[in-house]
Amino acid sequence: MFENKVIYQIYPKSFKDTTNNGYGDIQGIIKQLDYIKDLGVDYIWLSPCVKSPQKDNGYDISDYYSIDSLFGSNEDYEQLILEAKKRDMKIMLDLVLNHTSDEHTWFAKATNGDPKYYDYYIWADEPNELESAFGGSAWTYHEKVGKYYLHLFDKGQPDLNWANPEVRQEIFDMVNFWIAKGVEGFRLDVIHLIGKEPDKLIKGHGPKFSEYLKELNENTFKDNLLTVGECWGTSLKQQYKMCHDKGLTQAFHFNHFLLNAERGRGKWHTKELDLVDLCECFNTWQNEYTGIEALVMNNHDSPRLISRWLDDQKYRKESAKLLITLFGLMHGNLYIYQGEEIGMTNAHWHDIKKYNDVETFNNYEILKSEGYSEEETMAKIAFTSRDNARTPMQWDDTAHAGFSSTEPWLDVNDNYVHINVLKDLSDDNGVYKYYQKVLKFRKEHYDKLKQATSYSSEGQVLKMQNDFFTLLANFSAQNQPLEEINGEIIFNNYSKVPTHLLPYQVIVFS
Ligand code: TEU
């Protein structure tokens, strides 16, 4: 029922500003619904746009029920659901259930001595060694309370106490509120953390995790809506169990995102992509634990793959097309992150003042304290910062890329003059048109994509093969040898059929 779907992720803050306050908004999304639909999209997932002090760009929620005035109103959201439905698209809401903002009234009451709400959060007399995903201790001392509260992310994001049935009920009510409004899918932020047991240093997939998830499903979506779990650093086996046991449709596969990271040192310490690792990753996704795949090339937490793995300059369009051919021919649900369909790239900023992300700032300090020079630190940040994916959508070549008529909350990527929607759409060899072809093919031939497929590599060439087609992808700027192609060409990101594989060429033949 939820197979073979294409989901387009919007980071509302950076999509389209119609009020000219420098932030994207819901009316901006409504304006661009045809652009999204024409690509071949079934669902639109919006990163959170309910009330938030925006310390973590909306993933710090202070009111689950009201759209933040930054983005519009609840009426705008309802209009969006309706307008999307008219175009046969569904809206997927981002559920941040692991934590709230420290500006949520629950936290205010908790810290003002209300025992009911005190028990909504997690407290300790002394901190233990648990660390925040954004760097530093996961515990912050609260003066008024005289205790430490847990925050697995920023200190402005206190963790909810899922062991408290009242908290769970609050969450169920809220999810049902949005279902009643017409939301037809959910992305569940860091859902693996809800069963944490901080005393035992257990974060992800705690002993009660399955029970809580099952309860959530039974009380809300009841297997009837598309649900995708976000969990970093968990094995496919755990993800499979999470989906099959307790009713999530799918889980994001993220292990390929970490192939640029030095093992055991975290994402800020990077290395070159090794195709052997990538093939191993794809083989596991596509041949073991199948049926739960949420395929992603990009999202708001990850620097863009085109800039990490391929060439975002001279062979930019070829590289963007290589990626969508490779991922588009896999089975699973395919997630497209705003901008990748026109080949948007990382911002590559080397000045910390250009950045906005709390995780980037924390790690800037950490890297400096570890002895890295300013230049070394900024090289790491330019490669890895989440802001690389968050720069405003590039619509045209006018000031601020047609995103807004005023200075945006985060600078537009300098390359907007030559990389933008208007320009890409007017190009017969543009990335968007190529995406359309791949997505159409995917829809029509999905059964064929579901056959056993093998991934292997030779040097810089990746080969994907099943009974139906062979894909060859050159991950380098050098020509690569190619055996004669006898079959029919299904995809080719160059206009000619070569005697050897050209730089970043992808070719698919039957
Ligand atoms: O991300 C979860 C998460 O663990 C990321 O912070 C991840 O560690 C990192 O960014 C990538 O390596 C989710 C949201 O997608 C993210 O935007 C939020 O900041 C985070 O949860 C907290 O809600």
Side-chain angles (χ1 to χ4, degrees), residues 258-278:
L258 301 173
L259 297 179
N260 278 121
E262 278 181 35
R263 201 176 284 273
R265 293 194 69 206
K267 67 176 184 174
W268 302 93
H269 305 280
T270 53
K271 64 176 174 81
E272 291 271 303
L273 171 72
D274 185 338
L275 287 189
V276 174
D277 296 340
L278 187 60

Side-chain angles (χ1 to χ4, degrees), residues 46-58:
L46 269 65
S47 281
C49 42
V50 285
K51 281 213 165 84
S52 159
Q54 303 287 325
K55 286 180 191 154
D56 187 24
N57 286 328

Side-chain angles (χ1 to χ4, degrees), residues 371-390:
Y372 290 97
S373 67
E374 176 71 16
E375 203 184 330
E376 289 163 339
T377 302
M378 286 318 301
K380 287 178 182 300
I381 285 176
F383 189 82
T384 301
S385 171
R386 306 194 292 184
D387 281 338
N388 277 306
R390 298 175 178 184

Side-chain angles (χ1 to χ4, degrees), residues 48-52 58-68 74 77 93-107 120-121 157-162 167 170-179 181 183 186 189 194:
C49 42
V50 285
K51 281 213 165 84
S52 159
Y59 284 90
D60 48 324
I61 292 176
S62 54
D63 176 357
Y64 285 104
Y65 290 89
S66 313
I67 297 298
D68 198 301
N74 283 28
Y77 201 87
L93 188 99
D94 205 321
L95 287 176
V96 188
L97 308 180
N98 176 67
H99 45 265
T100 66
S101 157
D102 61 349
E103 293 185 25
H104 196 289
T105 49
W106 297 342
F107 195 69
Y120 273 36
Y121 295 91
Q157 294 166 297
D159 275 57
L160 282 167
N161 177 19
W162 271 71
V167 168
E170 295 264 19
I171 297 288
F172 305 156
D173 293 347
M174 178 275 287
V175 176
N176 288 327
F177 169 85
W178 288 108
I179 293 176
K181 288 237 178 285
V183 162
F186 293 103
D189 190 64
I194 59 173

Side-chain angles (χ1 to χ4, degrees), residues 230-270:
E230 191 227 23
C231 26
W232 287 84
T234 57
S235 67
L236 280 187
K237 195 174 167 188
Q238 283 170 317
Q239 294 195 351
Y240 193 77
K241 187 168 154 34
M242 168 179 96
C243 296
H244 277 268
D245 279 11
K246 312 296 165 205
L248 286 192
T249 319
Q250 296 185 317
F252 285 121
H253 289 358
F254 284 146
N255 38 350
H256 61 316
F257 280 169
L258 301 173
L259 297 179
N260 278 121
E262 278 181 35
R263 201 176 284 273
R265 293 194 69 206
K267 67 176 184 174
W268 302 93
H269 305 280
T270 53

